[in-house]
Amino acid sequence: TRDFRREKWNMAIRFPLGNDIFTEIRQNGDYYVDKTRFIEELLKESFKVNLITRPRRFGKTLTISMLEDFFDIRRDSRKDFRGLAICENKKLCEEWMNRWPTIFLTLKSVVGRDFESAYGMLKVLIAGLCKKYTFLADSDRVDEDDRKIFRKLKSQTSDPENLKDCLYLLTRMLNAYYGKPVVLLIDEYDVPLARASESGYYDEMLDMIRALFDQALKSNEFLKFAVITGCLRL
Protein backbone atom coordinates (compact mmCIF):
# COMPACT_ATOMS: atom_id res chain seq x y z
CA THR A 1 0.00 0.00 0.00
CA ARG A 2 1.38 3.40 -0.99
CA ASP A 3 1.63 6.01 1.72
CA PHE A 4 0.67 9.16 -0.21
CA ARG A 5 1.06 11.38 2.85
CA ARG A 6 4.69 10.32 3.27
CA GLU A 7 5.38 10.75 -0.46
CA LYS A 8 3.93 14.26 -0.36
CA TRP A 9 6.08 15.12 2.68
CA ASN A 10 9.26 13.85 1.01
CA MET A 11 8.49 15.79 -2.18
CA ALA A 12 7.74 19.04 -0.34
CA ILE A 13 10.76 19.21 1.97
CA ARG A 14 14.45 19.10 1.02
CA PHE A 15 16.80 18.62 3.96
CA PRO A 16 20.27 20.16 3.45
CA LEU A 17 22.21 17.20 4.82
CA GLY A 18 25.88 18.09 5.19
CA ASN A 19 25.39 21.65 3.93
CA ASP A 20 26.14 24.52 6.33
CA ILE A 21 26.26 27.34 3.75
CA PHE A 22 23.30 29.64 4.36
CA THR A 23 23.10 31.10 0.85
CA GLU A 24 23.02 27.67 -0.80
CA ILE A 25 20.32 26.40 1.54
CA ARG A 26 18.12 29.42 0.85
CA GLN A 27 18.73 29.49 -2.89
CA ASN A 28 18.12 25.75 -3.22
CA GLY A 29 14.83 26.02 -1.35
CA ASP A 30 16.04 23.59 1.33
CA TYR A 31 14.48 23.24 4.78
CA TYR A 32 15.79 25.94 7.11
CA VAL A 33 14.97 26.50 10.79
CA ASP A 34 14.68 30.27 11.06
CA LYS A 35 17.30 31.52 13.53
CA THR A 36 17.62 35.01 12.10
CA ARG A 37 16.26 36.59 15.30
CA PHE A 38 19.72 35.88 16.64
CA ILE A 39 20.88 38.92 14.65
CA GLU A 40 18.64 41.14 16.78
CA GLU A 41 19.93 39.54 19.97
CA LEU A 42 23.53 40.01 18.82
CA LEU A 43 23.09 43.68 17.96
CA LYS A 44 21.38 44.44 21.27
CA GLU A 45 24.58 43.53 23.09
CA SER A 46 27.38 46.03 23.63
CA PHE A 47 30.19 43.45 23.53
CA LYS A 48 32.75 44.05 20.81
CA VAL A 49 33.87 40.40 20.87
CA ASN A 50 31.28 37.63 21.28
CA LEU A 51 32.25 33.98 21.94
CA ILE A 52 29.67 31.26 21.27
CA THR A 53 30.55 27.78 22.53
CA ARG A 54 28.31 24.81 21.71
CA PRO A 55 28.88 21.08 21.07
CA ARG A 56 29.52 19.80 17.57
CA ARG A 57 26.57 19.56 15.16
CA PHE A 58 24.82 22.40 16.98
CA GLY A 59 24.52 24.68 13.93
CA LYS A 60 27.36 27.07 14.76
CA THR A 61 28.83 27.18 11.25
CA LEU A 62 25.43 27.67 9.63
CA THR A 63 24.73 30.56 12.01
CA ILE A 64 28.08 32.20 11.21
CA SER A 65 27.40 31.71 7.49
CA MET A 66 24.02 33.39 7.95
CA LEU A 67 25.69 36.35 9.68
CA GLU A 68 28.19 36.70 6.85
CA ASP A 69 25.41 36.80 4.27
CA PHE A 70 23.48 39.38 6.29
CA PHE A 71 26.30 41.85 7.00
CA ASP A 72 28.64 41.55 3.99
CA ILE A 73 28.77 44.82 2.07
CA ARG A 74 29.69 43.05 -1.17
CA ARG A 75 26.41 41.13 -1.34
CA ASP A 76 22.75 41.79 -1.98
CA SER A 77 21.06 39.35 0.41
CA ARG A 78 17.46 40.58 0.31
CA LYS A 79 16.29 37.50 -1.56
CA ASP A 80 18.07 35.12 0.83
CA PHE A 81 16.32 36.63 3.87
CA ARG A 82 12.91 37.17 2.29
CA GLY A 83 10.18 35.71 4.49
CA LEU A 84 12.47 35.19 7.47
CA ALA A 85 11.84 36.71 10.89
CA ILE A 86 14.59 39.33 10.77
CA CYS A 87 12.93 41.07 7.82
CA GLU A 88 10.06 42.07 10.09
CA ASN A 89 12.50 44.54 11.66
CA LYS A 90 12.81 46.84 8.66
CA LYS A 91 14.75 49.54 10.48
CA LEU A 92 17.43 47.09 11.56
CA CYS A 93 17.69 45.63 8.06
CA GLU A 94 18.06 49.06 6.50
CA GLU A 95 20.88 49.92 8.89
CA TRP A 96 22.74 46.61 8.93
CA MET A 97 21.95 44.34 5.97
CA ASN A 98 24.89 44.35 3.52
CA ARG A 99 26.23 47.55 5.04
CA TRP A 100 29.54 46.39 6.54
CA PRO A 101 32.83 44.98 5.25
CA THR A 102 32.90 41.42 6.58
CA ILE A 103 35.60 38.79 7.08
CA PHE A 104 34.62 35.13 7.57
CA LEU A 105 37.38 32.73 8.59
CA THR A 106 37.02 29.10 9.65
CA LEU A 107 39.98 27.37 11.27
CA LYS A 108 38.64 23.81 11.00
CA SER A 109 41.31 22.84 8.42
CA VAL A 110 44.30 24.00 10.48
CA VAL A 111 45.36 20.56 11.72
CA GLY A 112 48.50 18.50 11.39
CA ARG A 113 50.69 15.85 13.00
CA ASP A 114 53.22 18.53 13.95
CA PHE A 115 53.40 22.32 14.14
CA GLU A 116 55.11 22.70 10.77
CA SER A 117 52.29 20.97 8.89
CA ALA A 118 49.60 22.85 10.80
CA TYR A 119 51.43 26.13 10.20
CA GLY A 120 51.54 25.29 6.49
CA MET A 121 47.77 24.74 6.49
CA LEU A 122 47.29 28.12 8.18
CA LYS A 123 49.37 29.84 5.48
CA VAL A 124 47.24 28.19 2.78
CA LEU A 125 44.05 29.23 4.58
CA ILE A 126 45.11 32.87 4.93
CA ALA A 127 46.25 32.97 1.30
CA GLY A 128 42.80 31.78 0.25
CA LEU A 129 41.18 34.42 2.47
CA CYS A 130 43.29 37.16 0.87
CA LYS A 131 42.24 36.01 -2.61
CA LYS A 132 38.67 36.97 -1.69
CA TYR A 133 39.90 40.56 -1.36
CA THR A 134 42.34 40.78 -4.27
CA PHE A 135 40.99 44.24 -5.12
CA LEU A 136 42.75 45.61 -2.02
CA ALA A 137 46.18 44.96 -3.55
CA ASP A 138 45.54 47.52 -6.32
CA SER A 139 43.57 50.17 -4.44
CA ASP A 140 45.06 53.62 -3.93
CA ARG A 141 42.87 53.97 -0.83
CA VAL A 142 45.04 51.39 0.93
CA ASP A 143 48.54 52.08 2.29
CA GLU A 144 51.25 50.78 -0.04
CA ASP A 145 53.18 49.06 2.77
CA ASP A 146 50.02 47.17 3.74
CA ARG A 147 49.50 46.18 0.13
CA LYS A 148 53.04 44.73 -0.05
CA ILE A 149 52.45 42.56 3.03
CA PHE A 150 49.04 41.58 1.66
CA ARG A 151 50.64 40.33 -1.56
CA LYS A 152 53.10 38.21 0.45
CA LEU A 153 50.26 36.69 2.48
CA LYS A 154 48.35 35.97 -0.71
CA SER A 155 51.36 34.24 -2.31
CA GLN A 156 52.31 32.35 0.90
CA THR A 157 55.69 34.07 1.08
CA SER A 158 55.13 36.08 4.27
CA ASP A 159 57.10 35.58 7.47
CA PRO A 160 55.50 34.31 10.73
CA GLU A 161 55.12 37.82 12.18
CA ASN A 162 53.11 38.95 9.15
CA LEU A 163 50.91 35.87 9.47
CA LYS A 164 50.21 36.63 13.12
CA ASP A 165 49.18 40.15 12.14
CA CYS A 166 47.08 39.16 9.10
CA LEU A 167 43.58 39.63 10.54
CA TYR A 168 44.45 43.03 11.94
CA LEU A 169 46.00 43.94 8.58
CA LEU A 170 42.86 42.90 6.70
CA THR A 171 40.57 44.90 9.00
CA ARG A 172 42.79 47.97 8.54
CA MET A 173 42.83 47.59 4.75
CA LEU A 174 39.08 47.01 4.47
CA ASN A 175 38.44 49.99 6.71
CA ALA A 176 40.63 52.14 4.48
CA TYR A 177 38.85 50.90 1.35
CA TYR A 178 35.24 51.22 2.54
CA GLY A 179 35.58 53.88 5.23
CA LYS A 180 33.72 51.61 7.67
CA PRO A 181 34.78 49.31 10.53
CA VAL A 182 34.79 45.57 9.87
CA VAL A 183 32.64 42.69 11.09
CA LEU A 184 34.93 39.72 11.87
CA LEU A 185 33.48 36.18 12.00
CA ILE A 186 35.71 33.30 13.14
CA ASP A 187 34.39 29.74 13.14
CA GLU A 188 35.89 26.74 14.98
CA TYR A 189 38.63 28.80 16.55
CA ASP A 190 39.58 25.95 18.89
CA VAL A 191 40.19 23.18 16.32
CA PRO A 192 43.92 24.02 15.84
CA LEU A 193 44.41 24.13 19.62
CA ALA A 194 42.57 20.86 20.27
CA ARG A 195 44.56 19.03 17.60
CA ALA A 196 47.81 20.58 18.82
CA SER A 197 47.06 19.39 22.35
CA GLU A 198 46.51 15.85 21.06
CA SER A 199 49.69 15.86 18.96
CA GLY A 200 52.16 17.51 21.31
CA TYR A 201 52.69 20.99 19.86
CA TYR A 202 50.16 22.95 21.92
CA ASP A 203 52.55 25.68 23.11
CA GLU A 204 53.63 26.61 19.56
CA MET A 205 50.05 26.69 18.25
CA LEU A 206 48.80 28.62 21.27
CA ASP A 207 51.44 31.28 20.61
CA MET A 208 50.29 31.55 16.98
CA ILE A 209 46.53 31.64 17.68
CA ARG A 210 46.91 34.01 20.63
CA ALA A 211 48.92 36.46 18.52
CA LEU A 212 46.46 36.14 15.62
CA PHE A 213 43.53 37.02 17.88
CA ASP A 214 45.23 39.57 20.12
CA GLN A 215 46.14 41.77 17.17
CA ALA A 216 42.68 41.58 15.60
CA LEU A 217 40.41 41.63 18.65
CA LYS A 218 42.03 43.74 21.36
CA SER A 219 41.72 47.52 21.01
CA ASN A 220 41.27 47.24 17.24
CA GLU A 221 39.92 50.61 16.07
CA PHE A 222 39.01 49.10 12.69
CA LEU A 223 36.72 46.43 14.18
CA LYS A 224 32.94 46.90 14.38
CA PHE A 225 32.48 43.67 16.31
CA ALA A 226 33.52 40.02 16.19
CA VAL A 227 31.70 36.72 16.64
CA ILE A 228 33.77 33.62 17.45
CA THR A 229 32.46 30.05 17.65
CA GLY A 230 33.96 26.83 18.96
CA CYS A 231 33.38 23.91 21.29
CA LEU A 232 35.85 24.86 24.01
CA ARG A 233 36.07 27.77 26.44
CA LEU A 234 39.79 28.52 26.36
Side-chain angles (χ1 to χ4, degrees):
T1 303
R2 295 178 64 183
D3 188 338
F4 288 100
R5 288 177 299 177
R6 177 169 293 183
E7 288 183 15
K8 184 177 180 180
W9 172 268
N10 289 336
M11 291 174 60
I13 297 180
R14 289 163 44 95
F15 291 97
L17 300 177
N19 189 355
D20 52 18
I21 302 175
F22 176 78
T23 54
E24 290 185 4
I25 290 173
R26 293 295 291 164
Q27 292 168 12
N28 292 340
D30 293 339
Y31 190 82
Y32 174 70
V33 177
D34 189 349
K35 296 184 179 180
T36 56
R37 288 289 188 196
F38 173 69
I39 298 171
E40 287 184 326
E41 296 178 22
L42 176 67
L43 296 178
K44 284 178 183 177
E45 301 291 346
S46 59
F47 301 111
K48 199 163 188 177
V49 180
N50 304 270
L51 173 63
I52 302 171
T53 54
R54 293 292 186 274
R56 296 198 178 282
R57 317 317 311 162
F58 226 83
K60 300 186 297 296
T61 299
L62 178 56
T63 298
I64 288 286
S65 177
M66 179 264 292
L67 294 178
E68 179 191 25
D69 196 35
F70 186 83
F71 292 114
D72 195 345
I73 197 170
R74 297 192 296 159
R75 304 188 184 193
D76 182 354
S77 303
R78 289 173 293 182
K79 186 176 180 180
D80 294 341
F81 286 89
R82 187 175 300 158
L84 298 180
I86 193 62
C87 288
E88 297 173 10
N89 191 334
K90 295 182 179 180
K91 182 178 180 181
L92 182 146
C93 288
E94 289 175 0
E95 181 179 354
W96 291 91
M97 185 183 286
N98 303 134
R99 299 288 187 181
W100 303 94
T102 302
I103 298 172
F104 175 32
L105 176 68
T106 177
L107 296 177
K108 64 182 179 181
S109 65
V110 182
V111 296
R113 294 182 179 180
D114 51 39
F115 178 71
E116 288 72 23
S117 60
Y119 178 75
M121 290 300 302
L122 182 60
K123 289 182 69 174
V124 171
L125 181 67
I126 296 303
L129 179 65
C130 289
K131 289 175 183 177
K132 294 174 61 177
Y133 307 101
T134 301
F135 59 90
L136 294 174
D138 302 315
S139 174
D140 292 335
R141 304 177 197 173
V142 179
D143 181 79
E144 174 58 25
D145 290 336
D146 285 350
R147 288 154 60 188
K148 289 179 180 178
I149 297 173
F150 177 86
R151 294 186 189 104
K152 289 182 179 180
L153 289 167
K154 182 170 170 285
S155 63
Q156 300 181 46
T157 58
S158 64
D159 59 40
E161 296 309 311
N162 289 150
L163 196 65
K164 290 178 180 179
D165 191 53
C166 66
L167 291 180
Y168 180 72
L169 176 78
L170 279 175
T171 59
R172 184 169 66 219
M173 294 177 73
L174 286 169
N175 176 263
Y177 186 87
Y178 288 106
K180 291 184 172 185
V182 177
V183 174
L184 177 58
L185 308 171
I186 301 174
D187 188 36
E188 302 206 46
Y189 86 94
D190 53 342
V191 168
L193 297 172
R195 181 58 64 89
S197 180
E198 295 170 1
S199 302
Y201 57 93
Y202 181 80
D203 289 342
E204 296 96 321
M205 183 55 71
L206 180 61
D207 177 67
M208 174 61 68
I209 297 299
R210 176 183 287 153
L212 188 71
F213 287 180
D214 279 355
Q215 298 281 9
L217 301 177
K218 289 185 178 180
S219 303
N220 184 353
E221 62 187 296
F222 311 113
L223 182 68
K224 185 66 175 176
F225 64 84
V227 179
I228 307 171
T229 72
C231 295
L232 306 177
R233 291 183 177 273
L234 294 179

